[in-house]
Structures are given as structure tokens and as C-alpha cells.
Amino acid sequence: MVSGLLKVFTSNKSFALPIIGSPILNTLGLHTFRMRLANGFLALRRFQVAGLMRPIESQQFKRDGIVVLEDFLSESEFSNLVSEVKNTMTAIDTRSPIQNYGDQGFGQKHTFDWGFDRYDGDTLNRFYAIKAEHNATHSFINNKRLKRLTCLFAGTYHDPSKYYLYKLFHGTEDTNADSQKAIHRDTFHSAIKLWYFLEDVKPEHGPFHYAPGTHRLTNRRLKWEKKRSIQASKENKGGAFRISNEELNTLGDGQLTSFPVKANTLVIADIRGFHCRGAALEHQSRLSIYANIRPAPFLPAFHAGKLRAGLNKAKQIFQR
Ligand SMILES: O=C(O)CCC(=O)C(=O)O
Ligand SMILES: [Fe+2]
């Protein structure tokens, strides 16, 4: 019971849990209370990391929940980065060839020496760890504009460990469908994902789709969330709610839009907004640098990197 109560104040979104998933408490508004409270903490964390400074892009992010920044790096920085990433991927793919584990739905993590694979149905997400020798990649991750925007949008301090090189291979939909291609929102609280695309993403590559404006907590949205939380509690379901296109349009907060992009474009999205992966031609791929930045929704901002280093040090001392 105590642990169930404590989980209310974490990012946990499973309606199979005792308190988070209580139909009575959600009828009384627990889920929407968590959403509103998380908004309050986000405002606090944004103030902690950026004060009152708001870069020009933040107006658009506040309105739409997504920004698309073309020509993000200079041509020379971009071409250095692309060759570093492609060389790395080729070397790793040779050492650790892609395997099919027969996963269905949202697959488990399969780690290999340089990263991990995770399948969505038959579609593969291959994430490659960034190592010290990847100079061009490190320059990208430490890009001042990138850090300013991500820290402000997510309300967190910069944490390079969140970044991966990322190759997405679209699979066969008929036999083993990719669940990310259905419209959904990831979280009940604001959090960001970013993709810095290294190659053009055309319609056949399954571009990111997003419904601008749907990250906001409008009254209609809160009503919808409440209804869905009660239903999910009764069915002990997960909390990454799906929505049909018709229902999304009825909600009226924003329409699903495809975001095909040119290489050298950075896309940052608030994943509380409705989104999905676009339909693609089989075996097409997308290449990007990716981060999923999801700070604890009910805590002030803290330096996760420094905390990890401190904990590791303490562990070493105790193990002596
Ligand atoms: O890969 C994409 O375009 C989006 C997939 C998705 O829904 C997610 O990463 O949360
Ligand atoms: Fe998602």
C-alpha cells in the first residue's frame, strides 16, 4: 500500500498498480491531478535550469509541442558527423549482425556489446552507444543551441548519457505490426524525444507524425484523460494511451501531421502530445542521433550525471 502510494509520485503509468489504477480514485480525479501537478513541477524545473530566459524557438514549442529545426549544423560539421556515424554503424553491424528474436508488440531490450536492439513488431530499433572517440558526435551533443533547447523544454540539466546513434529498420506490417504506428501519447507528463536526422526522411521512410497542440492540458483533453484513466483502471491496462484519428479530430486540440524532413534537421517533440511513426515501405530505414529525455515528473531538477558519479564512488568505497 505504501509503495503503491509512493508510486503515484513517480513517472509510473501502469493502471495495473493498486493506487494509480484505482477506478474510484481516478473517478475522483487522481490521474488528472497527477497531470496537473506534473505541469507545476515542469514550470519549477524550467525556472531552475533556464531562469526566465526563453529562446525564440520556445514560443513555437509552447504552442505546438514540436519544433523542426532545419540546417541545424554547418555543412562541414554535418558531413563530418555523418561519416563518423556511418563508419561506426558499419563496424558495429559487422561485429554484431542484426538478428530477429521473434518479438511481438513492444519488444524487450536485447543488449549487444555496443548498444541494444528493441523490436516494435517486425520493425527494429537499433541503438548504438556513443563512445569517447566519437568526437563529431560529442560536438553535436554538446552543441550550445541543442543543450539550451533540450534543457528548457524538458526542464532538466544536460545529460549526455541519454543520447544514442539510432537506426530504424521498418519491417513487415502484415505479419507482425509495429505498435508505434498507431497514434498514441507516451506519458501523462511532459517529456521530450529528439531525432537529429542524418539522412532525408521521405514519406516512404515512415516520417515522425505529430498532432501539434495536443501536448497541452485543455479542458477537453483533461476530460478525455479522466475517462480513459477510469477505463484503463478497470482493465488493468498500461498508460501509453492510444487514440483513433477520428477521436483525435473530435478532441479538436490538433490534427495529426506528417513531418518528412531533410538531412541535418533536428526534431524535438513533447511526447505527451499525440504522435506516431508513419507508415513506411518495408525495409526502409531512418538514421538519426536520438534522445529520450524524461525527467522525474514530481521532482525539482537535479544533475543526474553528477548523482550517478557520486553513487558509483560510494559503491566503490563500500566494496573495498
Ligand atoms: O519513430 C517514430 O517516428 C516515433 C515512435 C514513437 O512513437 C516514439 O518513439 O515514442
Ligand atoms: Fe511514442
Side-chain angles (χ1 to χ4, degrees):
M1 189 69 175
V2 175
S3 96
L5 183 62
L6 291 178
K7 284 202 174 97
V8 169
F9 300 101
T10 68
S11 59
N12 204 310
K13 56 185 175 182
S14 169
F15 289 92
L17 289 170
I19 293 181
I20 292 175
S22 156
I24 295 171
L25 292 177
N26 285 321
T27 306
L28 293 172
L30 174 64
H31 175 65
T32 45
F33 165 74
R34 289 178 90 207
M35 295 188 91
R36 287 176 202 264
L37 186 62
N39 260 16
F41 273 93
L42 175 64
L44 166 73
R45 292 198 312 272
R46 282 183 173 160
F47 182 70
Q48 277 182 276
V49 301
L52 295 174
M53 289 276 287
R54 293 292 175 265
I56 186 86
E57 301 86 345
S58 61
Q59 272 178 15
Q60 197 191 345
F61 191 76
K62 193 172 168 197
R63 186 190 65 211
D64 295 340
I66 184 166
V67 289
V68 177
L69 307 171
E70 292 184 348
D71 299 321
F72 190 75
L73 294 183
S74 70
E75 267 177 40
S76 63
E77 285 170 321
F78 171 70
S79 64
N80 272 344
L81 180 56
V82 170
S83 46
E84 181 177 281
V85 170
K86 286 195 173 170
N87 289 340
T88 306
M89 287 182 171
T90 308
I92 296 171
D93 290 349
T94 310
R95 274 172 43 177
S96 302
I98 286 166
Q99 296 177 47
N100 195 328
Y101 303 92
D103 291 349
Q104 306 266 327
F106 185 86
Q108 63 187 94
K109 256 186 183 182
H110 299 279
T111 46
F112 57 95
D113 54 349
W114 275 70
F116 65 94
D117 288 338
R118 199 187 56 70
Y119 276 88
D120 289 312
D122 193 43
T123 291
L124 170 66
N125 304 279
R126 175 161 268 214
F127 296 100
Y128 308 75
I130 297 164
K131 302 276 165 119
E133 65 266 28
H134 295 139
N135 294 325
T137 309
H138 279 287
S139 305
F140 169 76
I141 294 174
N142 287 309
N143 177 289
K144 278 207 178 107
R145 188 177 177 206
L146 174 80
K147 288 205 284 192
R148 202 169 53 231
L149 297 181
T150 53
C151 292
L152 173 68
F153 294 170
T156 187
Y157 295 108
H158 182 60
D159 182 359
S161 75
K162 300 282 176 204
Y163 287 78
Y164 288 92
L165 311 181
Y166 173 28
K167 196 188 279 180
L168 170 75
F169 280 113
H170 292 280
T172 311
E173 284 299 296
D174 308 349
T175 45
N176 193 1
D178 171 0
S179 54
Q180 306 290 348
K181 289 184 174 117
I183 313 168
H184 63 280
R185 57 119 176 99
D186 289 3
T187 45
F188 64 86
H189 52 92
S190 276
I192 61 169
K193 281 186 177 167
L194 69 91
W195 296 260
Y196 169 65
F197 289 104
L198 298 163
E199 289 179 340
D200 290 353
V201 182
K202 298 191 175 139
E204 62 267 32
H205 303 124
F208 181 59
H209 281 52
Y210 192 83
T214 58
H215 62 306
R216 285 176 289 146
L217 287 192
T218 59
N219 285 338
R220 283 180 300 233
R221 173 66 176 274
L222 283 164
K223 225 167 130 187
W224 182 88
E225 289 280 344
K226 186 170 182 177
K227 192 176 86 192
R228 287 299 299 268
S229 70
I230 298 166
Q231 187 189 336
S233 304
K234 289 181 181 156
E235 295 168 0
N236 288 339
K237 284 267 174 70
F241 292 158
R242 260 62 190 157
I243 191 167
S244 69
N245 207 15
E246 294 70 46
E247 205 179 2
L248 182 63
N249 290 335
T250 312
L251 208 54
D253 290 333
Q255 288 187 336
L256 193 69
T257 309
S258 175
F259 287 90
V261 294
K262 291 206 189 90
N264 195 12
T265 299
L266 174 67
V267 176
I268 310 178
D270 180 341
I271 48 170
R272 186 171 67 187
F274 289 107
H275 63 274
C276 66
R277 184 176 290 154
L281 290 182
E282 215 171 281
H283 308 315
Q284 293 290 335
S285 60
R286 280 183 355 199
L287 220 60
S288 61
I289 296 178
Y290 164 85
N292 177 359
I293 304 177
R294 209 178 276 207
F298 304 114
L299 286 181
F302 59 90
H303 287 277
K306 286 187 189 163
L307 184 69
R308 266 195 310 272
L311 289 174
N312 282 341
K313 219 169 180 178
K315 211 162 119 191
Q316 280 165 9
I317 292 168
F318 280 115
Q319 279 170 352
R320 263 184 214 152

